[in-house]
């Protein structure tokens, strides 16, 4: 059974804290993605990675960074959390190739910054 | 740049009726794919159906069909015989190969409520 696992489902952090959101996939996928989801805005891409140590900015990268040291793991880092980063974060992965390759999502991480 | 537009923030449908959720898209890439996902209140994203830009026929998956009109750049989802369990948020998404590393671009979603 294919799996994308987000290590934390619910987090509460203080303003200014450094926050790590971890995502692991077991399908040997080249591509991994981080999205945030907000009501009325849909899912917006923060960063994606198409290979180990490779990353590209998505539509809303400000305030975030990422790390991909191993193929199966893609971490989202909030260097100094702010209240406007309170959101639901979704990790996804897919193999390289055709546009129709299935994209698998994790269950989401609900982050509240107070 | 890729863009997906879903103009219906909320829709209501009676059980057993059919419902159409609208999606229009914009891209300059010749090769792309269109997806529909369902997101129940639990938050998981459930893949429903896929349409490739070069596919000649509209995609169907059980009660789901995709009304693909390439010239109009629309990819509407049709759900036939609605069930209470269809109540959820529905997202249209697009993926192009030519640039962006296969990233998936989403619309803002449509909240569907199925009523008795």
């Amino acid at each position: 059974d294919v799996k994308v696992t987000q290590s934390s489902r619910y987090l509460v952090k203080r303003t200014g804290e450094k926050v790590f959101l971890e995502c692991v996939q077991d399908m040997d996928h080249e591509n991994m993605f981080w999205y945030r989801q907000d009501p009325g805005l849909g899912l917006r891409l923060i960063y994606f990675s198409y290979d180990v140590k490779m990353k590209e900015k998505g539509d809303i990268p400000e305030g975030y960074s990422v790390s991909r040291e191993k193929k199966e793991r893609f971490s989202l880092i909030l260097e100094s959390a702010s209240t406007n980063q309170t959101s639901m974060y979704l990790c996804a992965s897919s193999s390289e190739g055709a546009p129709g390759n299935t994209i698998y999502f994790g269950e989401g991480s609900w982050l509240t910054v107070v | 740049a890729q863009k997906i537009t879903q103009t219906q923030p909320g829709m209501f449908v009676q059980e057993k009726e059919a419902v159409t959720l609208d999606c229009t898209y914009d891209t300059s890439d010749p090769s792309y794919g269109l997806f529909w996902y369902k997101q129940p209140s639990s938050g998981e994203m459930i893949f429903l159906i896929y349409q490739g830009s070069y596919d000649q026929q509209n995609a169907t998956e059980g009660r789901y069909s995709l009304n693909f009109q390439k010239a109009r750049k629309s990819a509407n989802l049709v759900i036939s015989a609605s069930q209470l369990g269809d109540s959820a948020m529905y997202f249209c998404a697009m993926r192009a190969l030519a640039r962006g590393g296969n990233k998936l671009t989403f619309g803002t979603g449509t909240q569907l409520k199925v009523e008795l």
Side-chain angles (χ1 to χ4, degrees):
Chain A
D1 197 17
V2 297
K3 235 174 159 47
V4 178
T5 304
Q6 294 181 232
S7 55
S8 305
R9 287 231 57 197
Y10 301 96
L11 306 94
V12 180
K13 298 292 181 181
R14 294 193 181 279
T15 300
E17 272 193 80
K18 191 169 186 175
V19 181
F20 291 86
L21 299 180
E22 305 285 348
C23 176
V24 177
Q25 50 97 0
D26 64 1
M27 296 161 282
D28 202 36
H29 284 165
E30 294 83 5
N31 299 315
M32 295 187 76
F33 310 86
W34 275 106
Y35 290 87
R36 67 175 278 178
Q37 183 179 356
D38 301 288
L41 297 177
L43 279 76
R44 294 177 292 166
L45 183 65
I46 305 171
Y47 266 98
F48 65 97
S49 168
Y50 49 90
D51 203 349
V52 174
K53 296 192 190 293
M54 306 304 288
K55 61 187 179 187
E56 286 207 20
K57 293 180 181 179
D59 301 314
I60 51 162
E62 296 79 19
Y64 303 94
S65 62
V66 290
S67 171
R68 190 156 180 213
E69 296 297 318
K70 293 185 177 181
K71 192 175 186 181
E72 67 270 18
R73 186 180 296 269
F74 192 35
S75 303
L76 180 69
I77 304 155
L78 288 66
E79 295 289 342
S80 178
S82 63
T83 54
N84 63 14
Q85 292 178 310
T86 292
S87 187
M88 206 262 267
Y89 291 86
L90 278 161
C91 176
S93 74
S94 75
S95 57
E96 193 55 47
N101 286 354
T102 303
I103 296 172
Y104 298 89
F105 283 86
E107 292 183 310
S109 297
W110 295 89
L111 172 66
T112 302
V113 183
V114 298
Chain B
Q2 299 171 173
K3 188 176 166 67
I4 292 280
T5 302
Q6 293 181 256
T7 56
Q8 306 154 312
M11 290 277 287
F12 289 89
V13 65
Q14 295 238 301
E15 197 182 20
K16 298 178 188 171
E17 303 270 307
V19 63
T20 298
L21 306 183
D22 294 341
C23 172
T24 57
Y25 62 92
D26 192 24
T27 182
S28 56
D29 294 306
S31 178
Y32 54 89
L34 296 153
F35 299 76
W36 277 92
Y37 283 85
K38 172 184 178 182
Q39 188 183 45
S41 55
S42 57
E44 61 187 307
M45 294 288 280
I46 301 168
F47 166 74
L48 295 178
I49 196 165
Y50 166 78
Q51 179 85 42
S53 58
Y54 293 118
D55 293 344
Q56 295 296 313
Q57 292 191 316
N58 287 346
T60 60
E61 289 285 349
R63 293 186 299 112
Y64 304 108
S65 60
L66 201 152
N67 184 2
F68 181 47
Q69 297 188 43
K70 196 171 181 177
R72 298 177 66 179
K73 293 191 174 179
S74 75
N76 298 340
L77 177 71
V78 180
I79 305 174
S80 62
S82 297
Q83 302 171 354
L84 294 177
D86 293 334
S87 293
M89 180 71 87
Y90 288 80
F91 289 100
C92 180
M94 177 172 63
R95 187 185 201 189
L97 257 189
R99 55 179 72 97
N102 294 315
K103 69 176 184 177
L104 202 59
T105 300
F106 285 84
T108 53
T110 297
Q111 183 74 48
L112 177 66
K113 184 93 187 315
V114 180
E115 301 173 315
L116 289 169

